[in-house]
Amino acid sequence: MTASVIHAGWMFPPLSIFVPYRLCCTHCTTFVKPPNFLPFGQQKSAPLTTSCLSHKALTTAASDQNYGNKQVISLTPRMYDYLLANVREPPILRELREETATMRGSQMQVSPDQAQLLAMLVQILGAKRCIEVGVYTGYSSLAVALVLPDSGILVACERDKNSLEVANKYYDRAGVSHKVDARHGLAVDTLNSMIENGEGCSYDFAFVDAEKRMYREYFELLLKLVRPGGVIVIDNVLWHGKVADPLVDDKKTKSIRSFNKALMDDVHVSISMVCLLTIKPATLDKKMQCLTCNIVSTVPVGDGMTICRKR
């Protein structure tokens, strides 16, 4: 499908043409090819085997049998609603989320389950000093600030003045303004000034959700600011599934691919990419059956995140 799907206020972006080679449903036992499908052999990419069950959560397995045909659950809109219903979202965060949903660019806001994971990582680390690159209206930074100790500090870098005004309003309302050092301007300039001020290796945690083509530079600067044993989390590492599609070669996608490869080879950090492919079945047409399944890509932790621990 070519358009995004909106369900209960959540956007499920298209998977483009990177679709599983084999689809099946409870009404069909035959594997079929979707129309206008380019074989994966021509794309130089391995297919996924997908079980398309209309009344149950879907499962996906890698085609490489060396992975043991491990079945990984996929996320339907109903399952995602259930996941969101089990997020402990403070009222102030809910209010910020709902206000942001009315604004232009609201898709840039992290999801409640993602923010909950970030807050938990900060708590597990016992972090006191944090950095966020790319604040937008402040949902993730507020989630972090709420769990920081009263003496903690979060340096929040954001270049858009209007977005930062919304964030500051909610920092005030939540009573955490004393824990947030909001910096308006280019994040690279802010991070470099922090290094020049002798703040190297003094931060426990950092989160990056900003200009994708700058990820490499942000990461290198944060490595200088985060202490050994500290954590850096990078958002959007799957980029709506585009990174896995060899036919997509725009600058942002290529930049994220390159960054992901660099992280794999970086001996300075231990890494874990947190992601899950999602497939949503549409109402099946009796004549077409599997051919009418809509394939949609999303992840329960934002758009894919890589968690890096500095060695």
Side-chain angles (χ1 to χ4, degrees):
M1 65 189 298
T2 57
S4 299
V5 173
I6 305 294
H7 177 82
W10 296 91
M11 176 174 288
F12 294 82
L15 188 59
S16 185
I17 61 170
F18 186 72
V19 299
Y21 180 88
R22 295 174 289 178
L23 299 176
C24 68
C25 68
T26 54
H27 306 287
C28 178
T29 59
T30 304
F31 289 109
V32 295
K33 292 183 182 179
N36 304 319
F37 179 75
L38 181 64
F40 269 82
Q42 297 178 24
Q43 295 183 21
K44 298 181 180 179
S45 177
L48 295 175
T49 301
T50 305
S51 174
C52 181
L53 305 179
S54 60
H55 62 290
K56 295 182 180 179
L58 297 135
T59 58
T60 300
S63 60
D64 187 342
Q65 294 302 310
N66 289 321
Y67 286 96
N69 198 33
K70 174 67 176 179
Q71 297 290 309
V72 180
I73 189 171
S74 297
L75 211 63
T76 63
R78 178 179 294 179
M79 183 67 74
Y80 195 35
D81 285 343
Y82 180 82
L83 185 155
L84 292 172
N86 282 276
V87 172
R88 296 176 178 176
E89 184 182 38
I92 189 66
L93 281 176
R94 185 188 69 249
E95 292 175 30
L96 172 54
R97 170 172 57 79
E98 292 174 349
E99 178 173 335
T100 302
T102 67
M103 298 172 57
R104 182 179 179 181
S106 60
Q107 73 278 1
M108 293 188 292
Q109 178 178 255
V110 302
S111 59
D113 46 309
Q114 184 179 12
Q116 182 174 255
L117 175 60
L118 294 173
M120 180 171 285
L121 288 173
V122 167
Q123 290 176 300
I124 291 171
L125 275 172
K128 295 181 179 179
R129 292 170 60 81
C130 304
I131 303 170
E132 178 162 310
V133 177
V135 173
Y136 187 41
T137 58
Y139 191 91
S140 52
S141 55
L142 180 55
V144 168
L146 286 170
V147 300
L148 282 175
D150 202 53
S151 59
I153 189 70
L154 168 65
V155 178
C157 308
E158 175 56 51
R159 67 182 181 182
D160 185 77
K161 183 179 180 181
N162 293 332
S163 297
L164 198 56
E165 287 177 355
V166 176
N168 281 323
K169 177 178 70 174
Y170 278 88
Y171 299 151
D172 288 336
R173 288 188 55 192
V176 297
S177 290
H178 63 292
K179 294 191 279 186
V180 181
D181 180 5
R183 308 279 186 95
H184 175 234
L186 296 177
V188 167
D189 294 340
T190 299
L191 298 177
N192 273 315
S193 68
M194 292 164 66
I195 293 170
E196 292 170 2
N197 289 338
E199 298 177 48
C201 295
S202 67
Y203 288 85
D204 308 299
F205 177 86
F207 175 55
V208 180
D209 184 11
E211 171 55 49
K212 311 312 170 192
R213 286 173 288 187
M214 295 291 292
Y215 269 14
R216 191 74 165 269
E217 190 167 358
Y218 295 147
F219 184 75
E220 294 299 329
L221 292 171
L222 289 171
L223 271 182
K224 297 178 181 180
L225 288 164
V226 171
R227 63 171 174 80
V231 168
I232 302 171
V233 179
I234 314 293
D235 197 17
N236 301 119
V237 293
L238 292 182
W239 199 230
H240 315 304
K242 293 179 182 179
V243 291
D245 187 341
L247 299 184
V248 178
D249 63 352
D250 62 273
K251 291 182 179 180
K252 285 188 178 181
T253 301
K254 290 195 292 186
S255 177
I256 295 174
R257 278 197 200 109
S258 176
F259 175 72
N260 289 342
K261 177 63 169 60
L263 277 185
M264 278 289 292
D265 299 333
D266 196 327
V267 298
H268 300 100
V269 291
S270 302
I271 64 171
S272 177
M273 183 180 286
V274 185
C275 60
L276 182 64
L277 178 70
T278 299
I279 300 173
K280 169 191 169 292
T283 301
L284 293 176
D285 181 281
K286 291 183 178 179
K287 294 181 180 179
M288 294 297 290
Q289 294 185 356
C290 296
L291 295 181
T292 60
C293 289
N294 290 328
I295 308 302
V296 186
S297 176
T298 187
V299 285
V301 216
D303 186 24
M305 293 197 311
T306 297
I307 301 171
C308 311
R309 179 183 180 275
K310 183 177 176 180
R311 292 175 174 171

